[in-house]
Amino acid sequence: RSVYKMIPTWITLAVIGCIVIGCLFWGDLRSKRQLQALLQTRPPRSDQEFYKTFFSGSPYSVELVTKIRSIFKEYIDIDLSQLEPDDDLSKDFRAIWELDSMADVEIIKSLEDAFSLRISDIEASETRTFRDVVALIHRKTEQGAAANP
């Protein structure tokens, strides 16, 4: 008899389950370490410090930037206080999406709901940085306000 036929099915499934969970855990750990390495020299910033440092003097309101940042925090399972607005989320910081492959979709949906607007797939794919997201939402809310005086 084959050795495999002597192993009960539940043991085989348990081993496969452990392997899958282990791979997910180590993948998350690797992604978190990669992000920590990228962020380690940066100071954490509160919403007010973030706005003052990166958006002061811009056409974007503190409320807009803070609201968008809070939506990111809701769906991304890492401390975003060290993330800067020009970090490319499609390159070095793509590890954020590796932690939750649906986070980007959930963020887009939440932005649409929060600001009562629609974001096309093309617009979503062209936004690579937090600053891009802020500019897109600002532009779309301004266009919506102009269309509905």
Side-chain angles (χ1 to χ4, degrees), residues 78-96:
I78 60 165
D79 178 13
L80 295 177
S81 66
Q82 295 168 298
L83 195 66
E84 294 181 359
D86 296 314
D87 291 334
D88 191 330
L89 303 176
S90 67
K91 291 187 180 169
D92 291 341
F93 290 86
R94 72 182 171 277
I96 289 172

Side-chain angles (χ1 to χ4, degrees), residues 66-82:
T66 300
K67 190 170 188 176
I68 295 171
R69 196 170 186 223
S70 72
I71 290 170
F72 269 71
K73 288 177 192 175
E74 184 178 340
Y75 292 102
I76 298 175
D77 189 30
I78 60 165
D79 178 13
L80 295 177
S81 66
Q82 295 168 298

Side-chain angles (χ1 to χ4, degrees), residues 8-120:
T9 304
W10 69 269
I11 291 177
T12 304
L13 293 174
V15 169
I16 291 170
C18 288
I19 291 169
V20 168
I21 290 170
C23 289
L24 292 173
F25 173 76
W26 289 114
D28 282 358
L29 190 57
R30 181 183 50 82
S31 295
K32 286 183 179 181
R33 284 186 180 150
Q34 179 183 357
L35 290 169
Q36 286 173 341
L38 289 168
L39 299 172
Q40 71 184 356
T41 60
R42 297 179 180 181
R45 292 184 175 91
S46 69
D47 287 339
Q48 294 298 322
E49 292 169 324
F50 183 80
Y51 181 82
K52 185 177 178 182
T53 302
F54 299 111
F55 290 97
S56 183
S58 73
Y60 315 124
S61 69
V62 66
E63 294 82 13
L64 177 76
V65 173
T66 300
K67 190 170 188 176
I68 295 171
R69 196 170 186 223
S70 72
I71 290 170
F72 269 71
K73 288 177 192 175
E74 184 178 340
Y75 292 102
I76 298 175
D77 189 30
I78 60 165
D79 178 13
L80 295 177
S81 66
Q82 295 168 298
L83 195 66
E84 294 181 359
D86 296 314
D87 291 334
D88 191 330
L89 303 176
S90 67
K91 291 187 180 169
D92 291 341
F93 290 86
R94 72 182 171 277
I96 289 172
W97 311 127
E98 292 170 6
L99 295 173
D100 183 351
S101 62
M102 290 301 292
D104 56 343
V105 173
E106 293 167 341
I107 289 170
I108 295 297
K109 176 72 174 123
S110 192
L111 289 168
E112 289 176 333
D113 292 345
F115 294 99
S116 301
L117 49 81
R118 298 289 307 148
I119 299 171
S120 72

Side-chain angles (χ1 to χ4, degrees), residues 140-149:
K140 292 185 89 59
T141 55
E142 291 289 311
Q143 288 171 351
N148 299 316

